[in-house]
Amino acid sequence: MKFAKQKRWIDMTEALGGSYCRVLSGQRRPSLSIEAGVDFAAQCIEECLPHAAEKNITLILENHYKDDFWEYPEFATKSRCVLQTC
């Protein structure tokens, strides 16, 4: 199942009585252009929106330096990445 890990976090948020669940924009890989990264992050988040809505959970984009398991820092640590779609 696509995005299973994020959907499990959404399920856990619901089970614990929460209303908000963080999402990350992914790793800022050197080979990924800003445009491609913004598109990819948006597509991934949009994929999880119906599941979150079904559980009445709001997804929150967290600007997070680096997940412990990642090789590269968070894609959206630079404001120009986040503001790309404004």
Side-chain angles (χ1 to χ4, degrees), residues 57-77:
I57 301 294
T58 301
L59 299 181
I60 304 295
L61 179 62
E62 180 180 337
N63 185 345
H64 181 291
Y65 174 68
K66 185 173 174 276
D67 185 279
D68 290 340
F69 301 102
W70 290 359
E71 184 177 349
Y72 302 104
E74 173 85 15
F75 184 78
T77 55

Side-chain angles (χ1 to χ4, degrees), residues 15-76:
L16 293 172
S19 300
Y20 304 97
C21 183
R22 78 173 187 166
V23 294
L24 303 174
S25 63
Q27 298 182 68
R28 188 172 62 236
R29 298 177 185 277
S31 61
L32 196 60
S33 70
I34 290 175
E35 293 78 19
V38 168
D39 287 344
F40 185 64
Q43 288 172 16
C44 292
I45 293 168
E46 287 173 355
E47 176 72 27
C48 294
L49 286 173
H51 186 72
E54 178 183 301
K55 308 286 183 175
N56 202 29
I57 301 294
T58 301
L59 299 181
I60 304 295
L61 179 62
E62 180 180 337
N63 185 345
H64 181 291
Y65 174 68
K66 185 173 174 276
D67 185 279
D68 290 340
F69 301 102
W70 290 359
E71 184 177 349
Y72 302 104
E74 173 85 15
F75 184 78

